[in-house]
């Protein structure tokens, strides 16, 4: 008598097949997330590059109205007003954003972008815009930092001592296409945006000798933010916009008209 029991068979997945499937899905998900993040970062960097072009165009338009003289890097301006046309007090009217705003088509998308534009809806909007634009101005070397907090006062006495170390007119730049006016900035770790950036050297070394670390204090690299894959967006006096890495940014001929005149990448004020 033949047995009526049939051999067991199943159309389901084995444990090995299930594990392999999960592994493949995990890899695909990781790749997809990484690709998305990469694409999002690329898009945000393009936003900043475009904003930098508009920013430097407005800056140069302002200089044209001044017959070639550039706006002071930091100086109280009683003409500065907010979006409602209201006069602004010090120090809000000394930082560049509201002084330059009248030469820009708009603030959102040019000065405040990639998330920083939320400041325009805050109650303390005037302050936030003044202190945290996405790009900082090379205020000490371009225009001069006039104020009690200046690391180097652009006074007659300092000029006699150090020479004309800051640019006050477009014609003074030996290489305008290399001179940084604006640069990607940050005020603290993971807090993009600041109203100024400072060069690697002044009369002493300003930047840390250690490589840039996004978790380190912002002032260790002069408030410069290498947030785009180890590079920062810069807008130069000739109107050109570039992405520079840390090595390129440590070159003082990118920051100083005196360094350019001497062709000295290691330049320090006073020749030290």
């Amino acid at each position: 008598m033949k047995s009526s029991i049939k051999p067991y068979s199943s159309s389901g997945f084995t444990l090995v097949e299930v594990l392999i499937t999960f592994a493949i899905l995990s890899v695909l998900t990781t790749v997809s997330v990484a690709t998305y993040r990469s694409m999002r970062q690329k898009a945000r960097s393009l936003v900043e590059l475009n904003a930098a072009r508009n920013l430097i165009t407005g800056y140069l338009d302002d200089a044209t109205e001044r017959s070639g003289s550039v706006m002071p890097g930091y100086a109280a301006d009683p003409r500065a007003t907010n979006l409602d046309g209201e006069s602004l007090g010090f120090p809000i009217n000394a930082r560049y954003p509201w002084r330059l705003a009248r030469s820009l088509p708009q603030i959102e998308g040019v000065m405040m972008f990639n998330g920083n534009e939320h400041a325009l809806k805050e109650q303390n909007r005037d302050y936030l815009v003044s202190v945290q634009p996405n790009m900082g101005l090379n205020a000490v070397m371009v225009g001069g930092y006039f104020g009690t907090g200046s690391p180097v006062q652009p006074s007659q006495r300092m000029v006699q001592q150090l020479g004309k170390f800051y640019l006050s007119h477009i014609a003074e730049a030996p290489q305008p296409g290399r001179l940084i006016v604006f640069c990607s900035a940050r005020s603290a770790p993971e807090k993009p945006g600041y109203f100024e950036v400072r060069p690697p050297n002044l009369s002493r070394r300003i930047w840390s000798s250690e490589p840039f670390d996004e978790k380190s204090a912002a002032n260790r690299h002069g408030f410069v933010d290498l947030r785009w894959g180890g590079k920062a967006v810069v807008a130069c006096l000739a109107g050109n916009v570039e992405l520079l890495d840390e090595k390129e940014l440590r070159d003082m001929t990118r920051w100083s008209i005196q360094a350019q005149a001497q062709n000295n990448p290691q330049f320090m004020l006073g020749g030290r």
Side-chain angles (χ1 to χ4, degrees):
M1 180 177 179
K2 293 183 178 180
S3 173
S4 61
I5 300 176
K6 296 180 179 180
Y8 173 78
S9 67
S10 174
S11 60
F13 294 107
T14 67
L15 177 61
V16 172
E17 290 172 329
V18 170
L19 291 175
I20 291 174
T21 300
F22 275 119
I24 292 173
L25 288 174
S26 177
V27 170
L28 290 175
T29 300
T30 301
V31 170
S32 297
V33 170
T35 301
Y36 168 76
R37 288 176 177 171
S38 176
M39 291 176 63
R40 184 170 182 269
Q41 186 79 342
K42 178 66 174 179
R44 288 166 66 87
S45 69
L46 292 175
V47 167
E48 184 155 314
L49 283 163
N50 186 59
R53 292 187 184 96
N54 289 320
L55 190 63
I56 194 64
T57 297
Y59 180 88
L60 294 173
D61 286 345
D62 180 83
T64 298
E65 292 182 5
R66 300 168 184 263
S67 301
S69 295
V70 302
M71 65 187 297
Y74 183 95
D77 185 351
R79 299 177 302 161
T81 59
N82 62 15
L83 293 176
D84 299 320
E86 300 168 336
S87 296
L88 298 167
F90 183 83
I92 292 175
N93 70 357
R95 302 177 187 120
Y96 89 82
W98 290 115
R99 292 188 290 122
L100 184 57
R102 56 180 172 263
S103 298
L104 301 177
Q106 60 190 46
I107 291 179
E108 184 173 353
V110 178
M111 200 177 292
M112 313 292 289
F113 49 88
N114 281 341
N116 272 11
E117 62 270 25
H118 74 84
L120 294 167
K121 300 178 182 180
E122 300 295 331
Q123 188 173 1
N124 58 340
R125 174 191 67 189
D126 296 348
Y127 167 78
L128 291 175
V129 169
S130 78
V131 81
Q132 206 168 349
N134 287 63
M135 302 196 72
L137 176 63
N138 179 16
V140 176
M141 296 299 199
V142 177
Y145 196 118
F146 296 81
T148 54
S150 174
V152 188
Q153 279 282 355
S155 63
Q156 185 177 357
R157 181 180 66 84
M158 292 304 294
V159 170
Q160 289 175 343
Q161 180 180 339
L162 301 173
K164 182 65 185 309
F165 65 89
Y166 68 99
L167 176 131
S168 57
H169 193 282
I170 289 176
E172 295 172 349
Q175 302 175 61
R178 287 181 56 80
L179 187 65
I180 293 171
V181 179
F182 296 101
C183 181
S184 303
R186 63 178 186 147
S187 59
E190 299 183 2
K191 193 171 183 181
Y194 199 54
F195 67 94
E196 68 162 323
V197 286
R198 295 188 178 179
N201 304 327
L202 289 172
S203 57
R204 59 179 179 82
R205 187 181 299 277
I206 300 299
W207 288 21
S208 168
S209 58
E210 296 295 320
F212 176 82
D213 182 350
E214 62 183 11
K215 297 180 181 180
S216 66
N219 63 357
R220 288 177 60 83
H221 282 78
F223 306 104
V224 169
D225 192 0
L226 282 76
R227 53 179 168 249
W228 307 119
K231 295 185 177 183
V233 172
V234 301
C236 299
L237 192 64
N240 53 303
V241 173
E242 303 176 52
L243 273 167
L244 301 182
D245 61 27
E246 184 171 352
K247 181 179 179 180
E248 293 169 311
L249 286 164
R250 285 184 179 273
D251 183 344
M252 280 296 296
T253 64
R254 301 303 309 233
W255 298 87
S256 161
I257 56 174
Q258 286 183 321
Q260 290 187 350
Q262 298 177 21
N263 192 27
N264 183 1
Q266 306 301 321
F267 172 82
M268 285 195 182
L269 291 174
R272 299 176 194 176

